Structure formats: structure tokens, C-alpha cells
Amino acid sequence: MRVLAVDDDRSARGYLQLLLEQEGYETVTAGNGVEALVELEQGHFDLLISDLDMPEMGGAELMSHVSQRWSDLPVIVITAASEVAEIVEIVQRGATDYLVKPAAPGAVISSVARALAARPAYAVRDETLSAIVGTSKAIVEVRHRVTLAARSNVPVLITGDTGTGKELVARAIHASSACADGQFVPHNCAVSPRELFESQFFGHRKGAFTGADQDHLGLLREADAGMLFLDELETLDSMFQAKLLRVLDDGEVRPVGSEKTYRVSVRFVAATNCEPREMLADGSLREDLYYRLRGFEVRLPRLAERRQDIPALTRHFLEAGPDPTPEAMAILEAAPWPGNVRELRNVVVSAAAVANGRAIEPGQLPAGLETGRDAGTEERLSAPAVLPGGSLALRDVERRAILDVMERCGGNRSKAARLLEIDRSTLRRKLQEFEIDAKR
């Protein structure tokens, strides 16, 4: 395998050449984009690694030439931390992966291995995209973003309200990416107890702690050569976010109770129901991890933003069953759907069970669907928290208000905090204080 390493810093070029040649790669170096084009004209290369900021011709301009003339050549971009904001544009120009200086040896080797293992063509499979149902402009853009994300090896951040289909999109990216032959390993960060995080992610050796009666591989080694999907990223403790950031940077894992370090090649895809900027502001998401994960970002629209897709989604959920009557479909299209696609699916499937093979009638849909509240919810929202003696307790009123708003927002903490006119950190503290289970 021949690799072309491009960097105007002589020591950086030497470091890459030494590292790659130790791994058995034939390596040629160039000092800028102009020299790199000369090398590309004169011989075949299997991989290009390029710095961004260089004299005469930088990495971005070099990428433009490569995408036009050597479109099958995988490219890894090396960038300074201050340039990470440019990565999304670079990925869209065709970069396979990116590394942040100073890149650890393990991270470089893992990135190179992934890039060389990538398919020459990344056509997203029809069966993969068919699961992303709809023809609205918003959902067409999502499918386009999935295609772009599948063509690269950079981490992906998926944002969107609860129930919009974040895991579905993550699976679509995996199925059409270079790591499709590896495992797709989903994990909900909200169910990562502090005391078990190290073992869950890094694995452990038998006897490492009480109850460790056998070796445990851990999520990162389980996802080696595949994809690790981290859902509800914002619920992960800051200390553990730092540990994951280190794996992203150096690609190395050491199980609890082991002296041995393992190198892993994992494609990271993370998802959150919250607005990233708000998470950065209240400290629930580390800034360095955010910029590392958002090498590529996919935003999923709320169902209310794509109402024209509701008939197609309904038919998709009903499979071969009868369609709703026009009157029932009109109700479905007009409903607010705070729970988004997941709520629509649950409503349609339940109504179909009641209809028992016949077309779904309006009376078989939940009462109050048009307003987003069923009768029971309306009653709870209008009733104050009254103690058995008839008096109002401030603590109970506060707890009930939070419960009701969380329910109304489908568990989305950012929305609930805005309605309650408090910040997310205060809401998080109140949820803990009142022992409210806020799983979204």
C-alpha cells in the first residue's frame, strides 16, 4: 500500500513517514498541495493524508483537485484544533476522515486502516434508505446527509427531538459505510451507572473487582471495526466524556484490571435530543468532545415539520393492513405529534389492532389527539397537587408542574426547561431531587 503524506512542517512529515513505514506502508511525502499533485501525477497511491494550512496550495484546494481527478482516492485530513469548524465542509468535499493535531500514533494507524478498508464506491443501499420514509424536503435532505456521512469515516452527531428516528438513521449510516461488515453496537448513555462505566465501555478482566467472575470485552472492543452508537449523549458524566474523547484521539483501550492495551478502530455516532449549544452552555457536554463528534452532523426534523409524510408513514406502519378512512387520516395529519414518528407509529399500530382488519375510523384514534393531549392528561394538567387534607404543598405543586411539563414535552429536557423558564442544569437538579424518572 502506498501513502502520500502532505504537510509543510518537515518534522510532521517525518513523523508520519516513520510511523506509517513501521506499519508496513510505503510512504512518500510532499511539502504542500502543489508538490502533492506532482506526486499524484507520477505514480499510484492508495491513500492521501494532508494538512489543511499550507503555503502555495492548502489542503482544501488540494481536496478539490483530488475529488475531480482521483475521486476513488481516500483522503485523511489533519487539522489544528482551531480549524475543526472547517471539517464539515472538508468532509462534504470528500474527505474520508480527519485527525486533530497532535494526533496520537494509535489514532493515525486506526484512521489509516479504516480508510484503506473503505469500499471504492459508497452507494447507499436501497433497502437502507427505504426505512427513512417520506418525500418532504426535510426528509430528502436527511437521506442526502446519510449518503454523505456513509462516504466518510468521521464521527457523526445526530440531533433531533425524541422519537424522530435517530437510531434508525445511525443504522442506515452503518449499513452503507466502510464499517458495514463490523458490528453496530447501540448504547443508551442514560443507563450507564457511574460505578460501571469503565467496565461497560473498556471491559474488565476476571477478578478485577467483586462480581467480575469472567472476562468482559466492553462496548469499545465489541464495536472494533464497526460502529458504536451513543444515544442520549448529554446524560453521560463529564469525566466519562473525557475518557471517550481520549479513545477518539488515540484509539486505545485498556480493560479494568489489565496491564494490556488494545488498539481499536471504531466509528463513533452519537445522538442527542437536546440543542448542542445549550448543552455546551450548561456544561452537560464537553466542548472538546462536541467538536470531535460533530465531524458530520445530521439534524432530524420534527414530524410537525414534515406533515406531508404522515400518510406514507402511516401506510408503512400498517404494512399490508387497510388504510385509515379519509376522516381518520385528516386527524392524523393535523395532530401536533409531540412524540414525533414514534408516537405516530404507536397510535397507528394500536388503532389497527382495535380496527381488527378494517379501515381505521376516527373513533378508534385516541381521544384528544388533535390537541396532543388525551383526556387523562388534560385532567392531570388542570388539577392542582392537593394534599389529602385539602391544602396545597409547594413541593408537591413544583413536582407536579415538572412532571406535567416533561410529559407534555415528550421528555425533552431542553423544551421543558424553556417552558418552566429555568436552565437545564436546574431542571436536571430538580429531577434528581424529586426522583423523577426522565428517560426520553
Side-chain angles (χ1 to χ4, degrees):
M1 293 286 186
R2 297 188 80 223
V3 179
L4 176 58
V6 189
D7 199 309
D8 62 319
D9 186 325
R10 180 178 298 178
S11 62
R13 293 199 305 272
Y15 164 73
L16 283 173
Q17 185 169 23
L18 178 62
L19 181 61
L20 293 170
E21 289 182 346
Q22 285 177 341
E23 295 292 321
Y25 301 113
E26 180 185 347
T27 306
V28 177
T29 64
N32 57 47
V34 174
E35 293 179 14
L37 289 177
V38 172
E39 295 291 348
L40 288 167
E41 292 280 4
Q42 293 178 348
H44 169 78
F45 289 92
D46 299 289
L47 175 66
L48 170 65
I49 304 177
S50 178
D51 189 17
L52 271 184
D53 187 12
M54 297 180 292
E56 295 190 58
M57 182 187 292
E61 188 177 351
L62 175 59
M63 279 287 305
S64 296
H65 288 283
V66 169
S67 63
Q68 292 172 18
R69 301 186 58 187
W70 300 278
S71 58
D72 290 342
L73 180 66
V75 180
I76 298 173
V77 171
I78 300 180
T79 174
S82 61
E83 298 167 334
V84 172
E86 302 175 30
I87 288 298
V88 172
E89 180 183 353
I90 296 300
V91 169
Q92 291 180 349
R93 292 190 186 192
T96 304
D97 201 355
Y98 76 95
L99 297 165
V100 178
K101 291 182 176 180
V108 175
I109 298 306
S110 294
S111 179
V112 168
R114 288 195 302 268
L116 290 173
R119 299 180 179 86
Y122 299 88
V124 175
R125 303 170 187 174
D126 290 341
E127 65 269 24
T128 298
L129 285 184
S130 66
I132 305 175
V133 176
T135 57
S136 64
K137 182 178 179 180
I139 211 64
V140 168
E141 174 63 18
V142 168
R143 282 199 291 269
H144 174 62
R145 301 288 290 177
V146 166
T147 303
L148 293 175
R151 289 175 177 170
S152 74
N153 280 322
V154 300
V156 178
L157 180 64
I158 304 173
T159 61
D161 287 1
T162 182
T164 49
K166 293 184 286 295
E167 183 170 341
L168 177 73
V169 166
R171 289 182 180 276
I173 293 170
H174 170 257
S176 297
S177 69
C179 65
D181 293 333
Q183 289 198 63
F184 178 87
V185 180
H187 178 71
N188 190 318
C189 296
V191 296
S192 288
R194 288 180 58 89
E195 62 276 9
L196 294 179
F197 172 85
E198 300 270 4
S199 173
Q200 277 188 326
F201 279 82
F202 296 92
H204 63 250
R205 292 291 305 276
K206 179 180 179 180
F209 50 85
T210 302
D213 53 2
Q214 59 184 359
D215 288 351
H216 174 58
L217 202 60
L219 294 169
L220 290 162
R221 290 176 64 198
E222 186 182 346
D224 189 19
M227 178 179 288
L228 179 59
F229 173 59
L230 301 175
D231 199 8
E232 299 197 55
L233 177 69
E234 73 282 358
T235 64
L236 195 61
D237 186 275
S238 177
M239 179 178 70
F240 301 143
Q241 290 182 28
K243 291 180 181 291
L244 283 181
L245 179 64
R246 183 165 184 174
V247 176
L248 274 161
D249 287 339
D250 63 24
E252 295 182 346
V253 171
R254 187 167 71 180
V256 178
S258 175
E259 296 299 322
K260 184 176 180 180
T261 298
Y262 297 87
R263 182 177 292 168
V264 295
S265 178
V266 178
R267 177 87 184 269
F268 284 84
V269 175
T272 176
N273 299 326
C274 304
E275 170 55 48
R277 294 295 178 181
E278 293 181 12
M279 294 159 61
L280 293 173
D282 68 19
S284 59
L285 179 62
R286 289 176 59 102
E287 186 172 10
D288 47 7
L289 180 62
Y290 167 65
Y291 285 114
R292 191 69 176 87
L293 286 174
R294 71 176 293 268
F296 200 92
E297 190 166 346
V298 180
R299 179 195 172 273
L300 301 189
R302 297 188 302 274
L303 186 55
E305 297 177 71
R306 45 179 296 221
R307 291 186 182 279
Q308 71 187 72
D309 294 332
I310 289 175
L313 285 164
T314 300
R315 285 189 290 273
H316 175 72
F317 295 139
L318 290 174
E319 297 178 344
D323 289 341
T325 64
E327 295 78 13
M329 184 62 78
I331 293 174
L332 293 175
E333 291 183 82
W337 301 116
N340 294 292
V341 178
R342 183 186 299 145
E343 183 187 4
L344 173 64
R345 181 192 61 202
N346 293 340
V347 165
V348 168
V349 170
S350 297
V354 174
N356 194 25
R358 295 184 295 274
I360 296 172
E361 300 284 350
Q364 291 159 340
L365 298 174
L369 184 63
E370 301 93 328
T371 62
R373 300 178 183 173
D374 60 30
T377 301
E378 191 72 46
E379 182 179 346
R380 288 193 300 274
L381 290 174
S382 62
V386 183
L387 292 177
S391 62
L392 290 173
L394 180 60
R395 177 183 173 85
D396 284 358
V397 170
E398 186 177 13
R399 185 177 190 278
R400 174 56 58 84
I402 293 174
L403 277 169
D404 289 342
V405 171
M406 287 294 289
E407 182 176 353
R408 200 182 308 183
C409 296
N412 188 299
R413 295 188 188 188
S414 292
K415 285 185 175 181
R418 284 196 295 271
L419 284 176
L420 292 165
E421 298 185 358
I422 57 178
D423 58 42
R424 287 186 73 250
S425 58
T426 300
L427 177 59
R428 186 167 59 247
R429 188 175 65 252
K430 291 292 185 182
L431 293 173
Q432 293 172 348
E433 177 186 344
F434 294 133
E435 297 182 347
I436 295 174
D437 182 3
K439 289 186 174 65
R440 299 182 293 286

